[in-house]
Amino acid sequence: CHLIHYLRLSHHLIVLNYLIHTFDMLKSASSEDINITDAIFDGVKVRVFEPPAKGDERLKRSVVYIHGGGWALASARTSLYNNLCGIMAESLNAVIVSVEYRLVPEVCFPEQFHDALRATKHFLQPDVLAEYSVDPSRIAISGDSAGGNLAAAVCQQLSKEENLTVRPKLQALIYPVLQAFDFNTPSYQQNMNMAILPRSVMINYWIDYLSGNYDLVHSLLINNHTALDVGQALSFRRHLNWTSLLPSSFKKNYKPVIQTTGKAEIIQEIPALLDVRAVPLLAENETLQLQPKTYILTCENDVLRDDGVMYAKRLENAGVEVTLDHFDDCFHGCLIFTVWPTDFSAGIQTRKSYIKWLDENL
C-alpha cells in the first residue's frame, strides 16, 4: 500500500480500504429476522437494523452507532460491523442506525464530524423517530475507536444546541481516541509497539485526519506541539494532566514527557490539534457537565487506554454518571473480532459486557 502511495499511483489508505472490502466476506446479521435497509439521513448514508415488530409492543430503544477505522478505513457495510449491529439489534430489541460517514482521504476533518452530526440530528427528529417506532427518551450514541471519537464529539455538540427537542439518554464509547495533545501517556509508552495500533500508526491516522504533513511525526511523538512555550496549548494542559487523572495502577513508573521548548508552528499548521470537535478530551467542564450517562470501555493492551480513562475521570469530576469498563487482557479493536476466522474470546467478552450495559441502562 505504501509503495503504491510512494509511486503516486493512489493513496495508501484507498488501497488498504480496497483490500479490506475485497477480502471481506459479508455475513448476514445474527438473525434473518433483522431487517437491514440503507437510507440517506440529511445527505449522509446510513444502514438501519430493525428487529421484527411485535403486535402489542411499545416503542423500541435505539442506538446510533459510528464505526471505527482511523477515520479512514472500514464501513458500516463490512461484515464485522454488519454483524455487530445485527447482534445489537437482536439482543437489545432496538433499532440500530450505523453511520456511513465519508473517509480519509476523500475528505478530512471536520467533514467526518459533520457527517456524523448531520445523520444523528436527522434521526433525532420526532417524525423520523416515529417512522422507525423509536422511543425518543431511549436513544444512545455509540462508537468504537475513531467512531468513539466522533460519538463523543457529536454528543458534546448536541448538548450545546438549545433547540433540540430530543437528546440522547446515553453515550457508550469503546476504546475511543480522544486526544492528540500527549502521545506519551503511560498507555502510549507501554503499548508503543503493540500490534493492531502501534503509536506511530495512531499518529499517522491523526495526521491524515487533520490534513497534516508526515514530516511532523517525530515532533508529535515527542510532544513538541504542546511544549511549555507553545502558548496556544497552555490553557488545555490542565485537561490532560494524566498524573492526576489516572490511577496509580495505570501510571506505574512512567514519567510525563513535557518539552520546555517546542514548535509552535505545528499548531499553526494543524490548528485542529486543539479543536474540541477533533479532540473531545479538551472540552471545558461546562460542556462535560451536560453529557449524558456514559459508558467507556478500555483495554490494557492499547495506546488509547488512557484517553478513555482520563475522559471517564473528567466526566465523573463534572458530575456525570460514568461506568469505566476496563479489560486487563484485551487489545484495541477486539470487540469487532467475533466472526470466524477472527472470533477471539476477547471480542466475545467485551461485546457481551458492552451490550449488557446498554440493555440495563437504555
Side-chain angles (χ1 to χ4, degrees):
C1 293
H2 284 279
L3 175 61
I4 290 173
H5 190 176
Y6 177 77
L7 295 174
R8 298 184 178 182
L9 299 177
S10 182
H11 194 288
H12 70 278
L13 292 172
I14 293 177
V15 179
L16 185 53
N17 234 346
Y18 174 78
L19 293 174
I20 290 173
H21 286 277
T22 298
F23 289 102
D24 181 62
M25 298 290 289
L26 185 61
K27 296 177 174 62
S28 63
S30 56
S31 170
E32 293 182 358
D33 291 334
I34 301 298
N35 182 40
I36 303 175
T37 57
D38 294 322
I40 304 292
F41 284 2
D42 192 17
V44 180
K45 296 178 181 178
V46 299
R47 173 160 283 196
V48 183
F49 299 75
E50 297 176 85
K54 299 177 181 178
D56 57 347
E57 186 181 49
R58 58 186 178 181
L59 297 176
K60 288 183 169 62
R61 304 179 285 187
S62 184
V63 180
V64 175
Y65 194 86
I66 309 174
H67 72 80
W71 306 283
L73 303 174
S75 163
R77 292 164 172 76
T78 56
S79 63
L80 296 177
Y81 286 108
N82 204 67
N83 183 66
L84 172 62
C85 291
I87 289 175
M88 289 170 64
E90 183 177 45
S91 301
L92 298 170
N93 190 34
V95 175
I96 311 300
V97 176
S98 187
V99 181
E100 188 79 298
Y101 58 92
R102 291 169 295 166
L103 303 174
V104 173
E106 176 191 354
V107 298
C108 298
F109 175 82
E111 296 309 315
Q112 286 84 349
F113 166 76
H114 286 154
D115 284 357
L117 180 62
R118 287 203 312 275
T120 303
K121 289 179 67 174
H122 177 87
F123 182 62
L124 292 179
Q125 295 178 101
D127 59 330
V128 178
L129 296 177
E131 178 184 346
Y132 289 98
S133 299
V134 168
D135 186 339
S137 67
R138 305 179 74 190
I139 301 169
I141 297 180
S142 185
D144 65 295
S145 193
N149 168 282
L150 294 170
V154 166
C155 223
Q156 288 183 7
Q157 181 60 39
L158 293 176
S159 72
K160 301 174 186 177
E161 301 198 5
E162 299 179 355
N163 60 344
L164 287 181
T165 57
V166 178
R167 298 181 185 278
K169 178 183 181 182
L170 309 171
Q171 67 173 336
L173 313 177
I174 303 164
Y175 32 76
V177 48
L178 298 170
Q179 60 90 24
F181 192 94
D182 184 356
F183 290 110
N184 289 276
T185 63
S187 62
Y188 263 112
Q189 294 187 54
Q190 173 182 300
N191 300 298
M192 65 174 66
N193 296 314
M194 185 63 63
I196 302 292
L197 189 64
R199 177 169 61 173
S200 59
V201 170
M202 189 64 244
I203 292 175
N204 282 337
Y205 279 137
W206 273 114
I207 287 176
D208 286 322
Y209 182 42
L210 304 182
S211 302
N213 191 310
Y214 290 132
D215 293 340
L216 299 176
V217 168
H218 179 70
S219 288
L220 292 173
L221 190 148
I222 60 175
N223 291 343
N224 268 345
H225 60 305
T226 54
L228 293 177
D229 67 336
V230 178
Q232 304 98 310
L234 286 179
S235 63
F236 295 109
R237 187 168 299 281
R238 70 188 186 280
H239 295 334
L240 292 103
N241 180 9
W242 60 257
T243 61
S244 64
L245 292 171
L246 297 180
S248 57
S249 59
F250 286 179
K251 289 186 287 189
K252 299 175 184 173
N253 294 319
Y254 293 106
K255 304 299 181 185
V257 175
I258 303 174
Q259 305 295 345
T260 304
T261 57
K263 296 182 177 180
E265 58 268 24
I266 296 176
I267 299 298
Q268 295 169 2
E269 182 177 336
I270 316 177
L273 284 167
L274 300 178
D275 190 320
V276 70
R277 297 173 301 169
V279 191
L281 195 49
L282 296 183
E284 297 295 334
N285 290 336
E286 292 77 7
T287 297
L288 298 187
Q289 291 170 359
L290 301 174
Q291 300 315 297
K293 188 174 182 179
T294 299
Y295 170 92
I296 299 178
L297 187 152
T298 56
C299 298
E300 182 67 19
N301 304 306
D302 183 5
V303 293
L304 301 178
R305 179 199 69 190
D306 295 343
D307 285 26
V309 176
M310 287 191 289
Y311 197 49
K313 186 61 175 178
R314 289 203 62 213
L315 286 169
E316 186 180 82
N317 290 344
V320 177
E321 185 178 347
V322 180
T323 296
L324 178 62
D325 199 7
H326 181 68
F327 292 84
D328 284 322
D329 57 349
C330 293
F331 55 92
H332 186 82
C334 63
L335 182 134
I336 60 172
F337 292 121
T338 60
V339 180
W340 188 88
T342 58
D343 48 342
F344 302 136
S345 60
I348 301 296
Q349 180 186 9
T350 50
R351 187 184 69 189
K352 180 179 178 181
S353 188
Y354 162 66
I355 291 179
K356 181 175 184 289
W357 185 88
L358 284 173
D359 191 34
E360 293 175 349
N361 292 277
L362 185 58

